[in-house]
Amino acid sequence: MKNLLMKIYRALYKAYGPRHWWPGETPFEVMVGAILTQNTSWKNVEKAIQKLKNKGFLSAEGIRQLRKSQLAPLIRSSGYYRIKADRLKAFVSFLFEEYNGDLKKMRRERMETLREKLLEVKGVGPETADSILLYGLKKPIFVVDAYTKRILSRHGIISEQASYGEIQDLFMNHLPPDERLFNEYHALLVHLGKTACRKIPRCDSCPLKEIKCLK
Ligand code: SF4
């Protein structure tokens, strides 16, 4: 399995090169992006982040001092903005309660412990928690998303019913715990899912067309 996973990685890297994901000037910006990107396109998230930045509120302290009713209109472009305002406030409260608002202190927490705590924050599910850990804090955890599931199941590597945890274990049990590898691998799968492995797959022009595929 390790060989197959690395073969896929190398084929994607060769075709697409480094993806430089996740875009963000600071770890906090990455974390805000991870929360805002739920159920929307990245383009819409970027607009919301830019607005927060322009108004000087793109920091843990900045979001803490805003009321939900003030925060929501600033992130309107990201969709479900009232719910997301709630989630951002919950995340920032957690950050202050547990780590005094200090991301360095947060990063020093054991990854498994921190993941458990993040999953208890309102609106933070596995994909968001893992994106915060991997892309925000550079912890070696594999992020799974709908693209990952679609690509692997189309190649018969997992079943269509595989759970988030099962897919994550597949990568983490067979690859070295390398944050940079996990970062790049996830980003490459996202790019593949957006370009070739779409709802209707474009296998003829796909870098994985030589890899055993069941579709
Ligand atoms: S587009 Fe086809 S070859 Fe490419 S990953 Fe999807 S199923 Fe596989």
Side-chain angles (χ1 to χ4, degrees), residues 151 154-155 192 196-197 201-203 206 208-209 213 215:
I151 295 159
R154 280 178 172 173
H155 283 263
L192 176 67
C197 203
R202 299 173 177 176
C203 301
C206 176
L208 299 191
K209 68 179 173 192
C213 181
K215 292 273 161 183

Side-chain angles (χ1 to χ4, degrees), residues 104-118:
K104 287 194 188 112
K105 205 168 167 192
M106 188 188 198
R107 190 170 191 278
R108 284 199 292 272
E109 181 89 271
R110 224 178 116 251
M111 185 171 82
E112 291 73 16
T113 311
L114 177 52
R115 187 175 195 268
E116 276 171 29
K117 287 183 178 179
L118 280 168

Side-chain angles (χ1 to χ4, degrees), residues 114-147:
L114 177 52
R115 187 175 195 268
E116 276 171 29
K117 287 183 178 179
L118 280 168
L119 289 174
E120 282 171 20
V121 178
K122 197 173 167 188
V124 175
E127 189 182 335
T128 306
D130 293 338
S131 298
I132 289 171
L133 290 167
L134 176 67
Y135 291 103
L137 298 174
K138 304 208 176 302
K139 300 264 188 190
I141 193 155
F142 203 91
V143 178
V144 174
D145 68 352
Y147 294 126

Side-chain angles (χ1 to χ4, degrees), residues 8 12 16 150-155 189 192-193 195-198 200-215:
I8 292 173
L12 293 177
Y16 300 140
R150 182 199 283 168
I151 295 159
L152 295 192
S153 67
R154 280 178 172 173
H155 283 263
L189 288 172
L192 176 67
T195 52
C197 203
R198 299 156 69 104
I200 298 173
R202 299 173 177 176
C203 301
D204 287 348
S205 58
C206 176
L208 299 191
K209 68 179 173 192
E210 305 301 336
I211 288 175
K212 186 173 166 270
C213 181
L214 301 183
K215 292 273 161 183

Side-chain angles (χ1 to χ4, degrees), residues 1-183:
M1 183 55 71
K2 182 183 177 187
N3 288 347
L4 176 60
L5 293 177
M6 285 312 294
K7 193 173 168 189
I8 292 173
Y9 175 77
R10 280 193 289 269
L12 293 177
Y13 192 87
K14 192 171 166 208
Y16 300 140
R19 304 310 306 155
H20 306 293
W21 196 251
W22 186 298
E25 286 174 11
T26 64
F28 185 74
E29 182 176 328
V30 171
M31 294 177 192
V32 169
I35 291 167
L36 294 184
T37 200
Q38 297 165 353
N39 304 309
T40 195
S41 72
W42 183 251
K43 227 170 127 187
N44 294 332
V45 174
E46 277 180 322
K47 285 184 204 157
I49 286 180
Q50 197 53 50
K51 201 156 195 178
L52 286 171
K53 214 179 262 183
N54 292 346
K55 300 274 181 189
F57 291 117
L58 190 57
S59 63
E61 193 49 62
I63 288 179
R64 184 157 87 142
Q65 64 182 252
L66 288 174
R67 286 195 302 274
K68 264 181 240 169
S69 58
Q70 295 172 306
L71 176 58
L74 295 175
I75 59 167
R76 185 185 291 265
S77 70
S78 68
Y80 305 100
Y81 57 99
R82 288 196 187 88
I83 294 172
K84 287 181 182 177
D86 219 20
R87 290 178 179 175
L88 275 182
K89 291 291 287 179
F91 174 70
V92 166
S93 297
F94 160 76
L95 187 55
F96 276 93
E97 275 163 29
E98 292 284 333
Y99 307 105
N100 208 18
D102 183 351
L103 292 184
K104 287 194 188 112
K105 205 168 167 192
M106 188 188 198
R107 190 170 191 278
R108 284 199 292 272
E109 181 89 271
R110 224 178 116 251
M111 185 171 82
E112 291 73 16
T113 311
L114 177 52
R115 187 175 195 268
E116 276 171 29
K117 287 183 178 179
L118 280 168
L119 289 174
E120 282 171 20
V121 178
K122 197 173 167 188
V124 175
E127 189 182 335
T128 306
D130 293 338
S131 298
I132 289 171
L133 290 167
L134 176 67
Y135 291 103
L137 298 174
K138 304 208 176 302
K139 300 264 188 190
I141 193 155
F142 203 91
V143 178
V144 174
D145 68 352
Y147 294 126
T148 318
K149 190 170 184 174
R150 182 199 283 168
I151 295 159
L152 295 192
S153 67
R154 280 178 172 173
H155 283 263
I157 298 169
I158 56 163
S159 84
E160 282 178 26
Q161 286 73 43
S163 68
Y164 186 100
E166 285 166 349
I167 303 171
Q168 184 175 58
D169 285 349
L170 180 85
F171 287 94
M172 297 194 57
N173 291 342
H174 293 98
L175 297 178
D178 178 343
E179 172 265 319
R180 287 203 292 191
L181 172 66
F182 290 173
N183 173 322

